[in-house]
Amino acid sequence: LLLSGASPDPAALRAAVRAHTPPGAHPTTVLRGEVRARLADAPLQQGAERLYGAATAAGAGFALLALLLDGLRAAPERAPLLDRLRALGMTRRQGRRLLVLEALPQALLAAAGGAVTAAATLWLLGPATDLTPLALPGGTAGTVHLRTGPATLLPSAGILVLTLAAALAQAWPSGRRQSPDRRAGDL
């Protein structure tokens, strides 16, 4: 017998089954929610979650390292340019805004490309990839497939935020540094 509902009471269902069972019969009552809760703590599931978390952290670390190294490489060229622009009347706030706007087009393209690539990958591979052995081990009924959703955009949004944070971090010291007094004719 298969029952469905929003949240069936396991104790009440078991009591009803025992009350309506003929003597000598031994029925079993299994609730899908209890089975899923038990399988959610399976070692394979926990290992997959830890592996995904570690891979995400490593990818974010490499992205941050690449952005910081790029900022360090461009800093010697950028500082004199900002000094010249300040001598022409640009404020420190405008200099920071310029550095952020300089990084924005590449960050937007990277985020859009990542989102499109993720959606296309899930659209192409999703129907052919069966995650049932990983998500529901032990031959539990049902299939689990890859699907797109709002969470697909989170890594792309993270790239955008990380790039803008690196641009702000790079702009902050250059905006705080005291520039030498220069006149427009000294440039």
Side-chain angles (χ1 to χ4, degrees), residues 135-156:
L136 302 171
T140 307
T143 58
V144 179
H145 293 285
L146 295 171
R147 281 181 244 129
T148 59
T152 309
L153 300 177
L154 287 178
S156 296

Side-chain angles (χ1 to χ4, degrees), residues 49-119:
E49 289 172 4
R50 277 191 232 124
L51 181 65
Y52 180 75
T56 302
F62 282 128
L64 182 62
L65 180 65
L67 288 170
L68 290 177
L69 288 175
D70 181 57
L72 286 173
R73 182 198 54 81
E77 301 163 359
R78 193 165 284 142
L81 175 66
L82 285 175
D83 285 342
R84 288 184 191 109
L85 290 173
R86 279 195 205 102
L88 293 174
M90 178 182 268
T91 64
R92 289 187 172 108
R93 180 179 225 169
Q94 289 172 334
R96 283 188 218 119
R97 192 176 305 141
L98 178 68
L99 290 178
V100 169
L101 288 175
E102 181 184 16
L104 193 59
Q106 294 144 344
L108 286 174
L109 283 174
V116 168
T117 302

Side-chain angles (χ1 to χ4, degrees), residues 17-39:
V17 168
R18 278 192 302 270
H20 293 87
T21 301
H26 302 288
T28 57
T29 306
V30 179
L31 290 148
R32 181 174 36 167
E34 292 175 347
V35 172
R36 284 192 180 210
R38 194 175 9 162
L39 293 176

